[in-house]
């Protein structure tokens, strides 16, 4: 809310006593008249959502049972989510990548900071040895994985920098632990709130894993001050999940549920969001 400085009225009148007249003690001497201060209600800046399609370029990510690359599914789903978010008129959106290129994990976090994002969402569709496992899940940051499956997925995702060659050095586990400790409680609370909101939106329309809100030590989630979540939309190792994620109609449903979750996140009276310009 911006206040405009008081403005002198164009017709302001200043009263002066004549040289031969002395005002009586009880008289009120009027000074310059001012218009009342004008207080305007400026439109607040729209939150900026940073979408992060996983993998890309020389890093294909998981390869589906029929040969589909995770990097292509992630990019297509993020593009659809971007379309719906911008179409709502409520958000600005930036993408860590909008084409098939490789970006180191920490570079993705840096982009979120450069854009002063209010929320970071990394989108994936991983693979497991057990091809019967299917369903979506949402991950937040923790130094200790919620379960063995979450730990395995985090190891897989954190190894993506190996495709960057010798010039890209993944952060050591010791440094990762220090970085995780720097994440503020407010940021952790925001990420947990966003994860819960996504699960709520997914539940009636998208197949979910048992206990779909999980946590592990993902490098890409280690922003100290931007609530960050990683969404596994399904598993490329499962033929039903892979077939669904190949369909634009299914990706539209996923994106629609995520828009609903993002709306709920920002509308929550209990959330204190950092909306920056």
């Amino acid at each position: 809310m911006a206040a405009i400085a008081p403005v002198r009225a164009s017709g302001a009148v200043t009263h002066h006593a004549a040289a031969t007249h002395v005002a009586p003690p009880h008289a009120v001497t009027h000074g310059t008249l001012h218009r009342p201060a004008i207080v305007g209600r400026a439109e607040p800046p729209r939150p900026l959502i940073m979408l992060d399609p996983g993998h890309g370029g020389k890093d294909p990510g998981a390869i589906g049972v029929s040969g589909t690359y995770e990097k292509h599914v992630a990019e297509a789903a993020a593009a659809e989510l971007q379309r719906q978010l911008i179409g709502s008129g409520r958000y600005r959106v930036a993408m860590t990548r909008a084409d098939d290129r490789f970006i180191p994990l920490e570079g993705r976090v840096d982009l979120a900071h450069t854009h002063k994002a209010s929320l970071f969402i990394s989108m994936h569709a991983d693979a497991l040895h057990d091809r019967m496992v299917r369903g979506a899940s949402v991950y937040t940051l923790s130094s200790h994985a919620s379960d063995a499956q979450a730990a395995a997925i985090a190891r897989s995702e954190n190894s993506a920098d190996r495709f960057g060659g010798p010039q890209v050095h993944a952060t050591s586990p010791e440094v990762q632990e220090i970085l995780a400790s720097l994440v503020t409680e407010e940021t952790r609370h925001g990420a947990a709130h966003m994860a819960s909101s996504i699960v709520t939106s997914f539940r009636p329309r998208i197949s979910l894993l048992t206990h779909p809100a999980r946590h592990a030590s993902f490098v890409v989630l280690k922003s100290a001050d931007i609530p960050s979540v990683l969404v596994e939309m399904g598993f490329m190792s499962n033929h039903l999940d892979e077939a669904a994620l190949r369909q634009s109609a299914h990706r539209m449903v996923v994106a629609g549920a995520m828009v609903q979750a993002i709306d709920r996140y920002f509308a929550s009276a209990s959330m204190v969001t950092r909306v920056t310009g």
Side-chain angles (χ1 to χ4, degrees):
M1 182 179 294
I4 300 175
V7 179
R8 180 188 294 269
S10 59
V13 177
T14 303
H15 296 275
H16 297 282
T20 57
H21 174 72
V22 178
H26 62 276
V28 177
T29 303
H30 297 282
T32 302
L33 300 178
H34 295 280
R35 291 190 180 125
I38 301 171
V39 179
R41 187 176 295 277
E43 186 72 22
R46 291 168 295 158
L48 187 137
I49 314 298
M50 174 63 73
L51 300 182
D52 173 44
H55 308 282
K58 64 190 82 175
D59 173 15
I63 300 176
V65 290
S66 68
T68 309
Y69 285 1
E70 178 186 3
K71 67 176 182 177
H72 294 147
V73 167
E75 183 182 337
E80 174 59 26
L81 178 53
Q82 178 189 40
R83 185 188 71 81
Q84 292 193 28
L85 286 170
I86 291 176
S88 76
R90 294 185 291 275
Y91 307 101
R92 293 171 296 142
V93 180
M95 305 269 279
T96 56
R97 67 178 183 90
D99 52 19
D100 189 13
R101 69 176 66 189
F102 174 80
I103 302 174
L105 297 175
E106 291 176 11
R108 297 167 187 262
V109 180
D110 290 342
L111 283 168
H113 287 137
T114 298
H115 284 82
K116 299 181 180 179
S118 298
L119 187 64
F120 178 92
I121 301 174
S122 193
M123 302 183 70
H124 294 260
D126 219 295
L128 295 171
H129 291 300
D130 186 349
R131 295 191 173 188
M132 297 302 293
V133 178
R134 65 173 305 218
S137 52
V138 187
Y139 293 83
T140 54
L141 178 67
S142 174
S143 57
H144 302 289
S146 55
D147 53 80
Q149 192 179 87
I153 291 174
R155 282 195 300 271
S156 174
E157 295 298 347
N158 290 345
S159 69
D161 280 347
R162 71 187 185 277
F163 291 95
Q167 71 274 19
V168 176
H169 301 286
T171 304
S172 69
E174 293 78 16
V175 173
Q176 288 183 28
E177 187 76 20
I178 294 171
L179 291 174
S181 71
L182 297 177
V183 177
T184 67
E185 281 305 310
E186 181 181 349
T187 301
R188 290 181 188 275
H189 176 76
H193 180 76
M194 184 63 213
S196 175
S197 187
I198 292 174
V199 169
T200 298
S201 293
F202 275 8
R203 196 175 296 282
R205 63 194 86 173
I206 297 164
S207 176
L208 289 166
L209 288 179
T210 305
H211 308 302
R214 303 183 176 201
H215 52 263
S217 184
F218 290 92
V219 171
V220 80
L221 300 182
K222 293 187 177 180
S223 169
D225 56 356
I226 302 172
S228 304
V229 297
L230 185 148
V231 179
E232 289 284 357
M233 298 175 288
F235 290 101
M236 303 303 289
S237 48
N238 179 273
H239 73 282
L240 294 174
D241 275 358
E242 182 199 28
L245 289 166
R246 286 171 59 94
Q247 302 300 315
S248 60
H250 179 74
R251 295 194 299 270
M252 287 178 66
V253 172
V254 171
M258 292 185 66
V259 170
Q260 183 184 71
I262 291 167
D263 285 344
R264 185 184 301 112
Y265 171 84
F266 283 106
S268 174
S270 63
M271 253 325 280
V272 179
T273 57
R274 300 176 308 98
V275 180
T276 55

